[in-house]
Each structure stands twice: as structure tokens, then as C-alpha cells.
Amino acid sequence: MRQIVIIGSGPAGYTAAIYAARANLKPLLIASSVEAGGELMNTTEVENYPGFPDGIQGPELMEHFQAQAERFGTEVVYDDVTEVDLTGEVKKITLGSGETHEALSVVAATGSAYRKLGLESEDRLSGHGVSWCATCDGFFFRQKTIAVVGGGDSAMEEATFLTRFADKVYVIHRKDTLRASKIMQDRAFANEKIEFLWNSTVEEILGGDKVNGVVLKDTVSGETRELALDGLFIAIGNDPRVHLFHKQLDLTIEGTIAVDGRSSRTNLPGVFAAGDVIDPTYRQAITAAASGTVAALDAEHYLATLPEQLLAPAAGESIAAASPAAGSTVTSDGQLVASA
Ligand code: NDP
């Protein structure tokens, strides 16, 4: 049994792993099978991560995170968690492979997932001109006309990046002002290949086997019109990835995992949460990393309150092999129960 299992491999997950590993907790970190590394894997230049004055590519930054976590003994598994049972003192984490891990503490650092427009045509044309990742797919749109939906930093970043390939990039935004930071706005405004379509929503994505346009609606006049396009990038934000924890962890009104004050403590003892999955506001790599630190420290403090015997088994060893704590018994299925 593990002392700590960390679910998620973005800045929050790896930072929790660095701290937990340095505390000699021998963490197991479950990275996703296909999306390991989190959102920074889909980013180009990261200019605002302290310590890199000349900027660093997102994937390279994640390689550094992982190397640092592994240097202190973090074990990384590339698989998806399919089910968790976090309610008992011994937590169970089941992977896509069918393998189950037991742990005394868990850090949920599952991040967030791309938000969708909610159109049938969006799913149908996904991978056929509809994309959520400019760095992954921008290359396919050399000398094309494309559009980015959204008015935040992601949309500005994607639009600016896509001008490396496309001849023309529209930004379709539902309001007449942007949510993006001033520096990102200014960069997009100064780019001659970018044209803003204000007060506009995408009503439909057109195309049989690949995108050839969209139907736009003017949110002020209500009029609709068609715009010819070769591709559509959707950058309208993210939703916290909480599906694994439904009915176990309390959520906030924003849909993030609820934590106790400035801590990472969830409603379940031994379960901590960090990164974008608890943060509806800041959602930066640096804030996620800091939050991973908090989770590892909270987990360390929690583990220190557990009976000595529970902590004794080495990584991979079953709890049943360890002596139960004074005043408690370990049942055949690994649960710790108080003795009469
Ligand atoms: P945001 O939530 O900041 O912005 C989402 C944008 O999409 C908003 O303009 C919003 O419109 C629009 N939107 C949301 N839902 C819909 C919808 N259904 N239809 C049409 N438009 C919609 O998300 P981002 O991904 O841009 O940014 C998330 C966080 O990551 C932010 O904190 C941001 O600062 C950060 N970030 C930082 C970067 C950097 O510094 N290099 C790069 C990328 C992201 P409205 O404005 O009307 O609500």
C-alpha cells in the first residue's frame, strides 16, 4: 500500500510529487495514458513562469517537472484512473489496466478539460477542421483561413500562434470586449492577419467530411450569416475534471472540488485536491504548482496523525502484511476498523 497516490500530471500533480517524494513518502503519480503533462503540453512559449526569464516551451517545462519529481523517487504510471473509492481510511484507485492501488492519502490534481460549444456539428467535425489545440493542429492550416472562438488569454494565444501558419485568422467573440490580459490583447490587435468578429456566436459548423464554414449570429441584431473557413479552433475555457469524484467529494458552485479554506483538504479525511480542479479563478501554471505544494504538505501532516503501523509497509506491500494499529484491526479487504 502507498502512503500517497497523486492523480494528475500537470504542474499541481508534479509539484505535489516533488514535495511528497522529498518527504520520503514514495509517491505514485498516475499520469494520463494520452494526456500526460496536462495543459502545458498544448502550449507553446510560457513567458510567465518564474525562473525562466527567456521563456520556455510548455512541454519542456513539464519535462523538468517530471524529472525533478522522479529524481526524488516518484513513480509515474501512464494510465487513466477509471474509478476511485476514497471514503475509507484506505483509498482505492482503479486504473484502465484493471490494476488497483491502495493508498492512505490521495491528491486529486486532475485539472480541467476543454469546454465545448455544445453543437452536434462540433463533435462530428472534431479532428476534421474543428480543434481545441493550436499547437497540435496549427500545422495543418498553412495558407488557410481559420477562426478561433473565445475572448480570453487562450483565444488570443491560439490566434496569435495560428498566424504562423494561416493566411487569415478570425477571432469570434460573443461580446465587444475581451477577457484576455492587456498584453495578450495588444499582441493580437497588432497582428495584421487577425480580424475580430465582435458580438458573434457560432450557431453551426458547416461541412460534410471537413469544415468549410460556420453560421454566425450577431448577438445584437440577431442576424445570421455564413463565414467560409477551413478550420475552427475553440478556446472558450475549461471545466474542472471532477467526474471521478462524483458522490464522494463535495463540489463548489463553480463545479470545482471544495476545499477547506486555503488548505487542500476536501470533505474526506486523507483526500486532498490541488490545481485547476479547485481553482475557478487564477488557473495559472504557477498557482497550480503552489497548490500542489499545499496538498503535499497537508497530506504529510495527515499521514503523521495516522498510527505508526499503518505507515510502515513499503511501497507495493499490502496493508494486510502490516500489523494493525493499536485499537484497530485491518479487515481482509484492507479496511481499517476500530477494535472493540
Ligand atoms: P477564460 O475563461 O479566461 O475565457 C473564456 C472565453 O471564452 C471568454 O472570453 C468567454 O466569453 C468565452 N466563452 C466561454 N464560453 C463560451 C461559449 N459557450 N461560447 C462562446 N464563448 C464562450 O478561459 P481561457 O482558457 O482563455 O483562460 C483560462 C485561464 O488560463 C485564465 O486565467 C487565463 O489567464 C489563463 N491563461 C493564461 C495564458 C498566459 O498567460 N499565457 C494563456 C492561456 C490561458 P466571456 O468573456 O463573454 O465570458
Side-chain angles (χ1 to χ4, degrees), residues 45 48 115-117 149-155 157 173-175 177-179 181 184 201 235-238 281-284:
E45 189 88 356
N48 52 10
R115 198 172 283 155
K116 291 182 169 186
L117 293 169
V149 190
D153 279 337
S154 298
E157 187 176 70
H173 184 39
R174 62 186 180 182
K175 288 192 186 137
T177 52
L178 296 171
R179 181 187 290 259
S181 56
M184 306 285 270
T201 54
I236 59 171
N238 299 267
T281 314
Y282 301 106
R283 305 190 50 253
Q284 304 295 302

